[in-house]
Each structure stands twice: as C-alpha cells, then as structure tokens.
C-alpha cells in the first residue's frame, strides 16, 4: 500500500521530536543538530513516494534516513574537525578508530553528549535510537541489522559503561 | 537464560517503562538518560522544517477566479439585477405587456429575491471557493427563467430577450465554473510539484 502523498505533513508532526532528539545526541552542538534534522526531513520528503509501509514503520524509516544524514554530516565535519581540535591543543588525543566519540567527548555542548562520547560507536547509536528516537529493541535491531537481543545487549552495555563514567566523574 | 541475559531483559523493560513516563524506581542512569536526552526541538527549527514540508496555502492570486468565470458571473449578476430592478420600478408596465393583473406585493418580493440571486452570482467573480455554491444556486434559476422565456415569445419581446439571455448565461456559468475548476486543479498540482522540488 502506498502512503498518501499529502500525508507527509502529519508524519513530520508526529516524528519531528524523536528525530531531533536522536540527531542531537549524535552531533556535538545544537546548531549542527538543527541543520541535520532539517536535512533529514528534506530527504524524507523527497523519498516519501518510495516509502513502503510493508517494510517497517515510518519511525524506523525516518531514523534510517537520520542515520545516513548524520553519517554524511560527520564525513563533512571530519575534514574540519582535526583543525578545530588542533586549535584547542587536542589534536594528539583524537582516537583514530572513533573520531566521532572523541569529538563528542571534547566538543559536546552538554554533559550527556560528552558522556556518550565514552561509548563505542555501536553503543552510542543504540542509546541514541532507544532514548532519543524512542525506538523499541526490535526497531533498533531492524535499523542496525542485528537481532533484538543484540540490540538490547548494546543498550545494556552502554548503560553499564555510562554508570562507570558517571561514577568516575 | 543466564544472569546477564535476565539483567539485559530487565533493563529493557525498565527503559520502556521510563520512556512511557513510569518507573520512578528505575536505574538512576536510565532515569538520567531519559531526562537528559529528550529535549524539545527549538521553535525556529520547527518553523524552518514546516516551511518545507507543509503544502503551500492557496495564495490570493490562486483564489481569484479566471476571466471567463468572472465575466459569466458578472453578466449573470447583471441579468438578475435588470429583472429585479425592472420588477421594482416598472412592474405595472411589465404586467400590462404580458397581459396579467399587476400584483405589487408579489412583484416586490420577487424583485428582492432576484437581487439576492444577483449578489450570489457576483460572489463567483470574487473567490474561486465561492463559485461552486454560486453556480449551484444561480444556474438552475437562470435555466428555469430561460425556459420560461419561450412562453413569452410573441407576447413580450423585452421579456423574451431577458429570459433567453439568462438561460444562455446559466449554461455559460456552468461551463465557466467547470473550466475554472479544471484549471485550478492543474494549478494545485503544479504548486505541489514546485514545493516538492
């Protein structure tokens, strides 16, 4: 069944908040999150006619677009980030395997993003989808391409790690 | 099921409850995450996205009826006005020409109704959204008067001319309304396409 073309405004109204929350947890500053969220809905509107409800809920579909848009943002920002960190005297500490986590730890606009920077990329993604996107474990599993129990395990490990980080603070 | 798996399942249920607004006794880290990850989007962002995703409202120009509909509606209005004012001012002359007794009361009330119909016809020339109701109201009246005009042939030339004109304008109004509606649907499709791009 194809969705009605005119229904996108309703989809936007229902999902803008979880998309914003998810994106906000994935980029260092709110200004960046605003740009990315706006791009997510531009992309979603262009792809709306191709959305197939038979392949999953619209929330999961939007989160998939949000994930790709965030990844694109990091690809672009990654070219500039080392310069910023160098200017702050932090270039030596940039982790090669997780520059996003390092950037969040150093540049995150608030405590929650700085702490999420201590998680692995997969754990951070799972927490952002679970708490920001308010997806269920099954929806996270479908989005990340893992089993629901693996999605639950990712969130569990993330919470355990955050507990340690908060204890250290 | 191992102890770790049970703990994983427990945490998942706890997160679900906290996100649903329950679970006050949940893990403090889960409560902290739920409290700090769920800010509302800034109004500026909402306005920015809404500007993109909401279909544009019909502009004033888009609400203006086409020329053909405007002309047909105004001509219809004029035809009803001529008859209404004629009935008010020259009722006895009309009655004598059609060989009927003059009834001032009936003529006056008929005149008022025709002037109201004239206003209704004029509405189609003001807004597209009013044109449907205007056509639905005025076209049957005009067509009835047009048909009645045939009965006056050979009796009262001015009456024949006026009524046949009204009948013709009734047909023209229906055609103009249909044409305008088709044109408007095309405009909306084009606007939506532009908004998508």
């Amino acid at each position: 069944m194809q969705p009605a073309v005119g229904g996108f405004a309703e989809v936007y109204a229902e999902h803008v908040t979880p998309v914003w929350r998810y994106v906000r947890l994935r980029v260092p500053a709110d200004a960046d999150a605003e740009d990315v969220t706006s791009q997510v809905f531009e992309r979603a509107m262009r792809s709306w006619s191709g959305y197939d409800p038979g392949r999953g809920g619209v929330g999961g579909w939007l989160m998939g677009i949000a994930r790709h848009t965030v990844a694109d943002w990091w690809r672009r920002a990654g070219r500039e980030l080392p310069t910023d960190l160098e200017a702050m005297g932090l270039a030596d500490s940039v982790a090669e395997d997780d520059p996003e986590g390092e950037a969040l730890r150093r540049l995150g606009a608030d405590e929650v993003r700085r702490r999420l920077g201590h998680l692995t990329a997969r754990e951070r993604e799972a927490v952002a989808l679970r708490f920001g996107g308010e997806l269920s474990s099954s929806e996270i599993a479908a989005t990340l391409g893992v089993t629901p129990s693996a999605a639950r395990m990712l969130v569990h490990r993330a919470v355990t790690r955050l507990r340690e980080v908060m204890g250290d603070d | 099921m191992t102890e770790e798996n049970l703990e994983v399942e427990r945490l998942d249920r706890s997160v679900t409850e906290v996100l649903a607004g329950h679970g006050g006794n949940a893990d403090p880290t889960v409560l902290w995450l739920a409290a700090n990850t769920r800010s509302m989007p800034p109004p500026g962002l909402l306005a920015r996205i809404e500007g993109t995703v909401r279909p544009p409202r019909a502009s004033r120009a888009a609400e203006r009826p086409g020329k053909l509909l405007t002309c047909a509606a105004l001509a219809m209005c004029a035809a009803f006005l001529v008859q209404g004012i004629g009935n008010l001012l020259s009722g006895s002359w009309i009655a004598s020409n059609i060989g009927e007794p003059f009834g001032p009361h009936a003529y006056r009330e008929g005149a008022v109704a025709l002037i109201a119909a004239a206003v209704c016809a004029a509405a189609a020339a003001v807004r597209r959204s009013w044109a449907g109701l205007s056509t639905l109201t005025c076209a049957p009246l005009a067509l009835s008067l047009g048909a009645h005009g045939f009965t006056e042939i050979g009796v009262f030339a001015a009456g024949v001319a006026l009524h046949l004109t009204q009948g013709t304008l009734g047909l023209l109004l229906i055609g103009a309304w249909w044409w305008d509606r088709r044109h408007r649907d095309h405009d909306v499709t084009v606007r939506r396409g532009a908004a998508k791009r």
Side-chain angles (χ1 to χ4, degrees):
Chain A
M1 187 183 77
Q2 280 293 317
V5 174
F8 189 75
E10 286 73 37
V11 169
Y12 149 74
E14 192 180 340
H15 295 279
V16 65
T17 302
V19 168
W20 154 256
R21 288 170 177 170
Y22 166 77
V23 170
R24 188 174 162 271
L25 295 176
R26 296 287 318 277
V27 296
D30 282 2
D32 301 325
E34 288 189 28
D35 289 342
V36 174
T37 306
S38 180
Q39 286 167 23
V40 169
F41 281 95
E42 280 170 25
R43 287 184 180 188
M45 199 172 76
R46 281 200 298 270
S47 313
W48 180 231
S49 58
Y51 165 63
D52 178 7
R55 296 178 62 189
V58 74
W61 176 74
L62 272 174
M63 286 302 163
I65 294 174
R67 285 184 71 217
H68 287 114
T69 312
V70 167
D72 289 346
W73 184 88
W74 276 107
R75 261 194 292 279
R76 284 197 305 274
R79 290 195 288 270
E80 300 159 18
L81 218 48
T83 311
D84 294 339
L85 292 176
E86 194 175 356
M88 296 168 68
L90 299 168
D92 291 344
S93 61
V94 174
E96 283 182 14
D97 57 337
D98 186 17
E100 179 182 330
E102 184 65 23
L104 283 174
R105 276 203 296 280
R106 304 291 184 187
L107 306 172
D110 49 33
E111 202 175 30
V112 69
R113 277 179 275 196
R114 286 194 294 274
R115 283 175 174 168
L116 287 179
H118 290 275
L119 305 179
T120 66
R122 292 291 264 186
E123 290 166 355
R124 195 164 47 243
E125 179 89 79
V127 165
L129 289 169
R130 188 74 171 105
F131 287 86
E134 295 193 21
L135 296 189
S136 67
S137 297
S138 309
E139 289 170 321
I140 295 171
T143 305
L144 298 183
V146 296
T147 61
S149 58
R152 282 192 285 274
M153 183 60 84
L154 277 171
V155 174
H156 179 262
R157 282 185 191 150
V159 170
T160 305
R161 176 76 186 120
L162 282 172
R163 200 178 292 137
E164 291 167 9
V165 171
M166 289 164 78
D168 292 346
D169 290 350
Chain B
M1 193 177 266
T2 65
E3 185 59 34
E4 190 188 21
N5 283 340
L6 285 172
E7 177 57 31
V8 169
E9 296 295 330
R10 236 188 333 263
L11 183 80
D12 187 60
R13 279 196 299 276
S14 170
V15 172
T16 304
E17 284 175 10
V18 169
L19 293 178
H22 313 299
N25 297 324
D27 182 302
T29 312
V30 170
L31 290 172
W32 177 82
L33 269 171
N36 288 280
T37 56
R38 299 196 292 165
S39 66
M40 294 307 289
L45 171 66
L46 296 179
R48 186 166 143 194
I49 302 174
E50 272 182 33
T52 311
V53 305
R54 298 261 184 219
R57 287 183 180 179
S59 65
R60 275 188 159 188
E63 255 297 279
R64 204 172 298 138
K67 277 183 186 169
L68 181 63
L69 179 59
T70 305
C71 291
L74 290 178
M76 182 97 270
C77 169
F80 284 153
L81 272 183
V82 165
Q83 190 181 354
I85 293 169
N87 282 6
L88 268 183
L89 302 179
S90 315
S92 58
W93 175 75
I94 294 167
S96 67
N97 274 285
I98 55 177
E100 288 178 0
F102 175 55
H105 182 85
Y107 268 75
R108 197 177 306 116
E109 289 189 356
V112 171
L114 280 164
I115 290 167
V119 172
C120 185
V126 180
R127 278 196 192 177
R128 267 183 168 160
S129 52
W130 293 346
L133 191 60
S134 178
T135 305
L136 196 69
T137 311
C138 298
L141 175 63
L143 292 174
S144 306
L145 289 169
H148 179 69
F150 288 103
T151 65
E152 292 186 9
I153 291 174
V155 181
F156 182 36
V160 173
L162 180 62
H163 290 325
L164 291 184
T165 302
Q166 286 168 333
T168 308
L169 287 174
L171 288 173
L172 182 64
L173 186 64
I174 292 170
W177 171 74
W178 172 79
W179 178 260
D180 194 75
R181 192 180 152 85
R182 207 177 140 197
H183 189 66
R184 179 189 61 188
D185 289 347
H186 174 72
D187 281 356
V188 168
T189 309
V190 169
R191 267 205 314 278
R192 279 188 182 155
K196 269 191 166 183
R197 283 193 297 276

